[in-house]
Amino acid sequence: MTIVGIDLGTTNSLAAHYLDGKPDVIPNALGDALTPSVVTVDESGEILVGRPAAERLSTHPQKTAAHFKRAMGTDRVFSLGEHDFRAEELSAMVLRALKEDAEAHLGEDISEAVISVPAYFNDTQRNATKAAGELAGLKVERLINEPTAAAIAYGLNQRDAESKFLVFDLGGGTFDVSILELFEGIMEVHASAGDTFLGGKDFAEILIDRFATETGLKLNRLSELERGRIWNLVEAAKLELSRSDLAEIVFSHKSNEFRWTVKREEFGRLAEPLLERMRTPVERALRDAEVRAAELDAILLVGGATRMPMVRALVARLFGQIPSGHIDPDKVVALGAAVQAALKSRDKALEDRVLTDVCPYTLGVETVVDLDGKRLLQGRFAPIIDRNTVVPVSRVETFSTMHKNQRQVQLEVYQGESRMVQNNIKLGTMLIDVPRGKAGEQFFDVRFTYDINGILEVEVTVNSTKEKKRLIIEGNAGVLSKDEINRRFKALEKLKLHPRDNLENRTILARAERIYEESLSDLRNHVSVMIDEFESVLQGQNPKKIAHARKNLSQLLDEVEAGWSEL
Ligand code: AMP
């Protein structure tokens, strides 16, 4: 019986299996290797997972959830229409879709999987991942650390000698560096460091900003959907710049055309600050593992954004050696997990351990950002202890009052990775008395101390009075009990997952709806007619006619989107 390997990612997930001596990716119902880790509830209450759900992110944001991996092991609830789900449940739906795809592809029941997790995941997050597997009807006896899976995919576990590796993982929204050591057949993660707010997305953002400056386009005057359209154009240009020396971005808006040609070299210059930010986690991981760059036996590239030539060049510069990146960086973790799964079924699984104990989430407080002396941006999250910091740890940050004659400060403590506190989890509130004064005149230190048992102590000292106030926050539960898992399993079973065979139709309809919302007047009517026609063919239930109509619609939509970039 096949055990599959699964990379349950923040942006995308995928499954792989081992056949004829090598691992291979399992395509999903749409024939894609990557399934976006996105879940949506449609009008009829059915759950859709993957690309059709990702298409609905901009058109139905209230009913669609993404990036829930960041909330694994927390009590955060995602509301999708009238349903409330935890991160485990949403992950379970992704896993269930992958399981069904694997069953269809391999023609057998799949009931067991090896799932990869970030090396910095703590016990709570690991248990939550196992619970997600159980909720999806998968036995998960083993989890594998993502960097270890990458090392296995490269066959590094077969080395006889003691070796040291660095895994450089730049995904869509996160950057992780891990240092692995292979010693007497055991792979140990000696250190992991990273930046939760650094990924391929940031590289696209700098291109968007520059595009706006170069063309005089006012981004803040555009609708959400128009910004989504620019996002797609810029994302395509970013990928093009990994292949060629230049790319062109053309955006048409209200009969104006905004056009910019960007050279790879200029992109590299613009991205310099992002590249610079990658140095810190690299240096920290090396320091924590007490390893010198020259001692590394291999550097492995993981994550789609490491395809950018500038990132490869940076890695070569940092380590003085050419990194290994010949295995598809989007698939390498799933492939490694599949090898581990095959080894497991022969009782030869590689033992994989994590050595450091780290603080699993970013901890911080709510602040207000003063944009230009006039506008205040509320609800921003100011991190104090970064996720991934080795514990015990104590950090202090200084804040000031906001208003004239302010007498109290209400300090809200949060955990999470989002820039906005509303997406994070509130851990507690403190009220602190401060002497009256001018706005910004009173300063206070906020010290966070996080210990090995997951207890957070918040201590606030008002600088002028030296008065102190403390708050203790006990480690948060965030784990489901066995009974709770059973109860939720039953509830999830009742939910209708959209059948695989109709997924293509749903995906194309979701895409057509997005394009309808993004377009105006004549084009909009045109798309509307296309949707109506396709829906009427669907009602006819003739599979041949449906396939034909789907192909036509897909071509028409391609033409519409291609036309946008040529307009
Ligand atoms: P992952 O989360 O590992 O799937 O990484 C996805 C990120 O990689 C996204 O930000 C993509 O834009 C980026 N990416 C994928 N392929 C390329 C490429 N050829 N050039 C630049 N960035 C890429």
Side-chain angles (χ1 to χ4, degrees):
M1 208 190 52
T2 311
I3 308 176
V4 290
I6 293 179
D7 173 2
L8 185 60
T10 311
T11 326
N12 291 304
S13 296
L14 68 157
H17 71 126
Y18 195 80
L19 185 71
D20 299 335
K22 64 177 180 51
D24 202 9
V25 165
I26 298 172
N28 65 19
L30 300 170
D32 302 332
L34 305 182
T35 296
S37 306
V38 185
V39 175
T40 191
V41 178
D42 76 359
E43 285 63 35
S44 60
E46 273 184 345
I47 305 280
L48 291 165
V49 174
R51 215 166 75 198
E55 288 282 4
R56 283 166 57 91
L57 259 178
S58 61
T59 53
H60 300 80
Q62 310 294 345
K63 293 191 164 175
T64 310
H67 296 122
F68 34 84
K69 181 173 175 179
R70 290 186 162 168
M72 283 299 253
T74 72
D75 291 331
R76 178 165 169 208
V77 170
F78 294 78
S79 295
L80 270 63
E82 59 206 46
H83 299 277
D84 282 346
F85 297 116
R86 292 167 57 98
E88 292 96 311
E89 294 175 289
L90 295 167
S91 302
M93 293 171 199
V94 174
L95 289 171
R96 208 156 98 189
L98 295 176
K99 170 178 143 81
E100 286 174 9
D101 289 334
E103 287 173 339
H105 184 72
L106 303 173
E108 57 173 307
D109 279 349
I110 301 291
S111 56
E112 199 176 338
V114 170
I115 300 179
S116 63
V117 287
Y120 57 80
F121 258 27
N122 69 349
D123 241 27
T124 314
Q125 294 164 300
R126 285 167 197 264
N127 286 333
T129 307
K130 284 189 176 175
E134 275 182 52
L135 289 172
L138 286 168
K139 195 164 100 194
V140 187
E141 266 180 32
R142 274 197 96 103
L143 296 172
I144 183 168
N145 291 304
E146 287 164 7
T148 304
I152 293 182
Y154 274 97
L156 298 181
N157 52 318
Q158 288 162 5
R159 295 200 172 183
D160 291 332
E162 195 183 313
S163 320
K164 294 187 170 103
F165 318 112
L166 182 139
V167 178
F168 189 98
D169 181 350
L170 188 65
T174 56
F175 174 49
D176 295 307
V177 184
S178 317
I179 299 202
L180 307 182
E181 227 172 295
L182 180 70
F183 184 66
E184 294 183 346
I186 297 173
M187 192 73 88
E188 283 180 343
V189 181
H190 273 233
S192 52
D195 187 331
T196 2
F197 296 106
L198 182 58
K201 199 167 141 278
D202 300 281
F203 287 78
E205 262 160 25
I206 55 163
L207 281 180
I208 291 189
D209 287 347
R210 192 67 196 182
F211 174 62
T213 320
E214 289 281 336
T215 59
L217 179 70
K218 300 267 178 295
L219 289 172
N220 51 8
R221 299 220 186 119
L222 299 179
S223 69
E224 191 75 10
L225 282 163
E226 285 160 343
R227 274 202 291 268
R229 233 174 82 201
I230 297 201
W231 180 266
N232 290 341
L233 293 171
V234 166
E235 178 69 17
K238 184 183 80 175
L239 303 194
E240 181 62 28
L241 286 168
S242 292
R243 286 188 298 265
S244 6
D245 283 338
L246 47 92
E248 191 173 45
I249 305 170
V250 187
F251 174 67
S252 322
H253 179 55
K254 295 190 178 147
S255 72
N256 288 322
E257 185 192 86
F258 301 85
R259 185 184 287 266
W260 179 47
T261 304
V262 50
K263 291 207 176 88
R264 185 190 275 179
E265 202 190 327
E266 181 176 7
F267 182 32
R269 260 200 319 278
L270 294 171
E272 204 51 63
L274 296 178
L275 297 176
E276 197 50 41
R277 269 170 67 190
M278 288 182 206
R279 281 176 190 272
T280 317
V282 167
E283 282 161 9
R284 209 178 91 202
L286 288 171
R287 210 170 39 241
D288 286 356
E290 296 176 12
V291 172
R292 280 179 298 116
E295 286 175 80
L296 293 166
D297 295 291
I299 321 282
L300 307 182
L301 297 179
V302 177
T306 60
R307 290 205 185 89
M308 285 185 284
M310 67 171 107
V311 172
R312 293 187 174 215
L314 170 83
V315 175
R317 252 193 341 267
L318 282 177
F319 304 105
Q321 59 173 291
I322 303 290
S324 305
H326 57 272
I327 302 183
D328 187 331
D330 280 320
K331 299 180 184 150
V332 62
V333 168
L335 294 171
V339 177
Q340 176 77 333
L343 291 170
K344 182 185 175 292
S345 58
R346 282 183 267 137
D347 280 330
K348 290 203 172 122
L350 176 76
E351 209 179 312
D352 163 36
R353 294 188 204 146
V354 181
L355 286 188
T356 45
D357 219 335
V358 294
C359 163
Y361 321 106
T362 301
L363 300 166
V365 293
E366 175 175 0
T367 57
V368 170
V369 175
D370 189 348
L371 200 60
D372 46 16
K374 289 192 280 305
R375 275 180 300 160
L376 297 179
L377 301 176
Q378 309 281 350
R380 296 301 160 116
F381 182 54
I384 295 182
I385 296 180
D386 283 333
R387 173 209 92 188
N388 232 0
T389 309
V390 178
V391 291
V393 56
S394 189
R395 293 256 163 87
V396 65
E397 289 279 337
T398 305
F399 296 88
S400 66
T401 48
M402 282 304 304
H403 309 289
K404 194 174 157 197
N405 287 337
Q406 185 173 347
R407 277 191 292 177
Q408 275 194 323
V409 172
Q410 185 168 332
L411 193 78
E412 310 275 6
V413 180
Y414 282 88
Q415 83 176 22
E417 311 304 332
S418 173
R419 230 158 40 86
M420 308 302 294
V421 289
Q422 72 194 40
N423 299 327
N424 293 332
I425 292 159
K426 193 192 273 189
L427 297 178
T429 300
M430 285 170 90
L431 271 181
I432 302 126
D433 294 327
V434 286
R436 289 171 189 247
K438 289 187 195 148
E441 199 178 59
Q442 290 294 324
F443 290 90
F444 52 97
D445 287 342
V446 180
R447 174 173 289 283
F448 273 28
T449 307
Y450 189 86
D451 75 4
I452 206 108
N453 301 314
I455 294 173
L456 171 68
E457 184 200 88
V458 182
E459 188 187 72
V460 180
T461 314
V462 179
N463 292 13
S464 59
T465 60
K466 297 282 170 257
E467 230 166 280
K468 282 187 192 303
K469 203 157 182 184
R470 286 172 72 212
L471 174 72
I472 304 282
I473 297 164
E474 304 273 341
N476 111 334
V479 193
L480 295 180
S481 66
K482 266 265 168 273
D483 285 352
E484 184 71 356
I485 290 180
N486 281 334
R487 198 182 65 72
R488 284 174 188 264
F489 182 70
K490 297 220 167 74
L492 281 186
E493 261 194 336
K494 281 203 209 100
L495 272 181
K496 278 191 290 174
L497 260 193
H498 199 82
R500 298 179 79 249
D501 48 350
N502 285 333
L503 212 58
E504 281 191 68
N505 299 337
R506 285 314 313 250
T507 306
I508 199 144
L509 274 175
R511 182 177 169 213
E513 275 171 32
R514 170 178 59 76
I515 292 175
Y516 172 86
E517 293 196 20
E518 286 173 11
S519 50
L520 286 172
S521 51
D522 286 354
L523 184 56
R524 185 166 236 198
N525 289 336
H526 181 52
V527 176
S528 171
V529 171
M530 295 192 309
I531 297 178
D532 289 344
E533 282 175 356
F534 185 62
E535 280 184 332
S536 83
V537 177
L538 283 181
Q539 273 169 6
Q541 297 187 18
N542 178 331
K544 242 186 168 160
K545 281 192 181 154
I546 292 175
H548 185 68
R550 193 171 56 226
K551 205 167 148 215
N552 279 343
L553 178 57
S554 169
Q555 269 171 5
L556 287 168
L557 294 176
D558 284 348
E559 280 165 24
V560 169
E561 288 201 295
W564 278 344
S565 56
E566 278 163 20
L567 281 172

